[in-house]
Amino acid sequence: MSLFQDKYDVIVVGGGHAGCEAAAAAANMGCSTLLITMSLQNIAQMSCNPAMGGIAKGQIVREIDALGGYSGIVSDRTAIQFKMLNKSKGPAMWSPRVQSDRMRFAEEWRLLLEQTPNLDFYQEMVSGIITDNGRLIGVKTALGIEIKSKTVILTNGTFLNGLIHIGDKQFGGGRAGESASFGITEDLIQLGFESGRMKTGTPPRVDGRSLDYSKMIEQPGDVFPDKFSYTSLTKPLAVQKSCWMTYTSNEVHDLLREGFDRSPMFNGRIKSIGPRYCPSIEDKINRFADKERHQLFVEPEGWNTVEVYVNGFSTSLPEDVQFKAMRSIAGFENVKFFRAGYAIEYDYFPPTQLQHTLETKLVSGLYFAGQINGTTGYEEAASQGLMAGINAALKVQERDPFILKRNEAYIGVLIDDLITKGTEEPYRMFTSRAEYRTLLRQDNADIRLTPKAYAIGLAKEERLIRMEEKLSKSEAMVNFFKETSLKPEEANPILEEKGSSPMVQPDKMFKVFSRPQIDLEDIVKFEKVKSYIQEHALDNEIIEQAEIQVKYSGYIEKEKNHADKLNRLEDAIIPENFDFNKIKSISIEAKQKLNKIRPKTIAQASRISGVSPSDISVLLIHMGR
C-alpha cells in the first residue's frame, strides 16, 4: 500500500511564501496537489523582517491578491500596523506596507491551506527529482520514497546546501534552527543546469522589555489605514501597534569595526554576493564610511510577543561584537538578545534557464520559483510561486500558458527581468524597474488582473463582480465630474485656501479638480460631490480611483499609447528554432546571448544585455519585417 496516490498533478517542494502560493494556486485550479516541506510547523515562516509590502513590493502583493492568491488576505488578517508609503508622491509611487504578527501570519497561512480542496501535505526532505528522457516524472525523498507527479515546482528558498555564518563559526542550515537540504542541487547539475551561490542575512532578535523606547522616535501607522486585499474577506485595522526608530553612531561603528577581522564578509569565508539594497551593517559602515549614523527601525514581532526585530542591523559579525555594539545604541543600553544575527549562503540557479512560465528549458514539467531563481523578498517569491502554480496547473490541463507582460503587472516585469537579463546578485523589485509604473499602480491591480485570473479559473466570480462594480462606479464618477459645472462662488473659497488661482467664470469639475493643488480631501468638501457620494453610497476606494483618473488622465493615456507601440514588438514572434548564427551582421556577443536565452519575441530580444538596437534591426529584416 502506498503512502500517496498513484500520481499527483502538481508537487510543490518547499513551504515558504513561494511554495504556499504555488500550492494554493494549483489546488484552487482543480489540480491534485502535494506540498512537501521539511517542517509543517514552519509553513510561510517570515524568516527575516515581520512585514509585507513596501516600495514596489506592496504593488506585487496587491497583484497577487487581484489574481486570487492568498498573501494579501493573510497580511490583512495578521497585520498590526498599516502604512501607505510615498503618499507625498504621485499614485504610481504609492506603496502599501503592513507590519505583521509573525506567529499569526504563519498560522493563518497554514489554516488557509488546510481549508483548500485538492491539497495534500507531507513533511520530509526532498533529496532529488526523477526524470525520464528530459521529462519530469516525480521526486524522491531522504527516506527513499518516490512520489510520481506530472509537474514539480521547486521553491527551496535558502535551504539548498545552506550554510550559516556567525563570525568565524559556520554550520549547515536553511535558517536558524532548521537543517539545510541536500541532493536537489546535485541532481540538477547532473541534468545540465548551471548553479551559483548567493548570500542573505538577518539581524539579531531582541527582548522588547529590555529596550528604552523613550530614547527612540515613534513610528505610528496611518491615521486612516487601508488594507491589501480587494475582497470583503478582510477589514482595515481598528487598532495599530507602533514601530520605533533610532540610530547607530560613530561609537557603534567603531565597536563593530573591532570585529571586522573575524567577519566572514571580510576575511574571505563568504564568497557569494549579498543583496545590494539590503546590506549588512558592517557593509554599510565600510561602504559609507563618511556617514556618522544609520537608521534602525525597531519592529515588534506581534501583538503579544515581546520579541523585537532590529531592521537595519543585519550582520554576520561574532555574537559578542554584535551584542557590545548594540548596547551602545540609544535605547538599547540594557538590551537582551533572543538570538544573534547571521548570514546564510545557499545555492540558486540563474533564471535565464527558465521560460516565461517559470518552467525550465531543460526539463519539461519542472518549475522554479522564489530564491532558487536569485530573488530576495517574500513578495517577489510569492508572486513567482503563484505564477508557477498557475502555469503548472495549465500545463496539466493542456491549456495555454499564463504570461503577464511588462505593461500588465510588476509580476510581468519581475519574471521578464529574471529570464531575459538573469541576475548575479539577489534581485529585488523597485518601481524604477517598471517602465510603465503609471499604469501599474497599487490601486488598479484588480482592474488590470482579476478578469485575466477569472478567465483561467483562479479568481472567483465574486472578485470579478466586485471589480466590475468598482470600475463602473469610478468611471461614472469621472463622467459626473466632466458633466457637472462649478460656479466661482462655490469653488473659490477652497481654491484660495489651497493657493490656487480663483475662478472668474463657471467651469467643469474635471478641469478644476485637475489642478495640482487640489487633492482628494478638497474634492470631497464640495457640496455637489458630497451629495453624489451619499446618493451612490461610494466607498473611499472608488472615490480615490476616480480622483486618480481625473488628476493623472494625461499621463496615463500617454503611457498607454507608448505601451501599445512597444507591444507591437511583443507580438513579433521569433520562430522557435530560429538560427541566430546564420545572421552575419549582428555582433558575436549578441549571437551568444540570443542563443543562450532563446527569446520568444523581438521585444524580449531587445531587453537582453549585449543585444544592441542595430542587432534588433538586422533581426527584424531577417524575419521579413
Side-chain angles (χ1 to χ4, degrees), residues 16 37-39 42 45-48 125 155-165 170-182 197-202 205 339 342-347 371 378:
T37 177
M38 294 202 294
S39 172
N42 293 323
Q45 190 66 247
M46 291 180 133
S47 308
C48 204
M125 184 173 84
T155 69
N156 302 84
T158 59
F159 282 75
L160 293 180
N161 294 318
L163 188 63
I164 292 173
H165 297 267
Q170 63 179 46
F171 47 92
R175 61 182 162 222
E178 296 180 66
S179 64
S181 170
F182 305 102
R197 295 282 277 177
M198 278 190 180
K199 171 190 93 75
T200 190
T202 192
R205 310 301 199 273
R339 74 163 189 246
Y342 63 88
I344 181 166
E345 286 187 289
Y346 54 93
D347 294 337
Q371 283 172 290
Y378 308 145

Side-chain angles (χ1 to χ4, degrees), residues 385-434:
L386 178 75
M387 295 300 285
I390 289 170
N391 279 305
L394 291 172
K395 186 180 182 77
V396 167
Q397 294 161 358
E398 297 182 351
R399 295 161 65 195
D400 290 339
F402 183 67
I403 295 166
L404 293 170
K405 295 177 182 175
R406 295 181 72 91
N407 66 316
E408 292 176 326
Y410 270 91
I411 296 172
V413 175
L414 168 70
I415 292 173
D416 186 66
D417 275 357
L418 290 174
I419 70 159
T420 302
K421 300 172 183 175
T423 185
E424 293 178 355
E425 61 183 57
Y427 177 102
R428 179 180 178 178
M429 180 52 73
F430 292 101
T431 50
S432 58
R433 295 192 191 273

Side-chain angles (χ1 to χ4, degrees), residues 22-141:
N28 280 324
M29 289 178 70
C31 290
S32 60
T33 306
L34 175 66
L35 175 62
I36 309 178
T37 177
M38 294 202 294
S39 172
L40 285 169
Q41 261 53 53
N42 293 323
I43 276 181
Q45 190 66 247
M46 291 180 133
S47 308
C48 204
N49 65 319
M52 287 291 281
I55 309 300
K57 293 167 174 279
Q59 283 88 327
I60 290 176
V61 178
R62 281 269 165 103
E63 290 178 353
I64 291 169
D65 184 75
L67 288 165
Y70 287 165
S71 287
I73 293 168
V74 173
S75 296
D76 286 344
R77 288 180 177 174
T78 61
I80 63 175
Q81 186 193 92
F82 181 94
K83 269 191 174 180
M84 185 67 77
L85 306 180
N86 280 345
K87 273 297 261 188
S88 61
K89 300 179 181 178
M93 304 297 286
W94 298 353
S95 302
R97 182 185 189 271
V98 298
Q99 200 68 31
S100 303
D101 185 314
R102 185 191 297 275
M103 289 184 284
R104 284 279 301 109
F105 185 92
E107 178 190 36
E108 186 65 31
W109 250 116
R110 170 141 181 196
L111 294 176
L112 265 177
L113 289 175
E114 287 183 357
Q115 292 157 22
T116 301
N118 308 313
L119 182 56
D120 293 344
F121 303 87
Y122 185 57
Q123 178 172 299
E124 215 210 308
M125 184 173 84
V126 171
S127 59
I129 60 169
I130 311 166
T131 59
D132 182 27
N133 292 324
R135 183 172 180 83
L136 183 131
I137 57 172
V139 299
K140 56 191 174 189
T141 74

Side-chain angles (χ1 to χ4, degrees), residues 420-448:
T420 302
K421 300 172 183 175
T423 185
E424 293 178 355
E425 61 183 57
Y427 177 102
R428 179 180 178 178
M429 180 52 73
F430 292 101
T431 50
S432 58
R433 295 192 191 273
E435 60 269 45
Y436 304 116
R437 54 187 172 274
T438 307
L439 301 179
L440 309 183
R441 305 183 310 278
Q442 54 81 32
D443 62 272
N444 70 350
D446 55 340
I447 295 168
R448 289 185 277 121

Side-chain angles (χ1 to χ4, degrees), residues 512-524:
V512 178
F513 295 162
S514 297
R515 296 188 183 196
Q517 300 91 339
I518 305 303
D519 57 26
L520 184 59
E521 285 183 24
D522 303 313
I523 291 170
V524 296

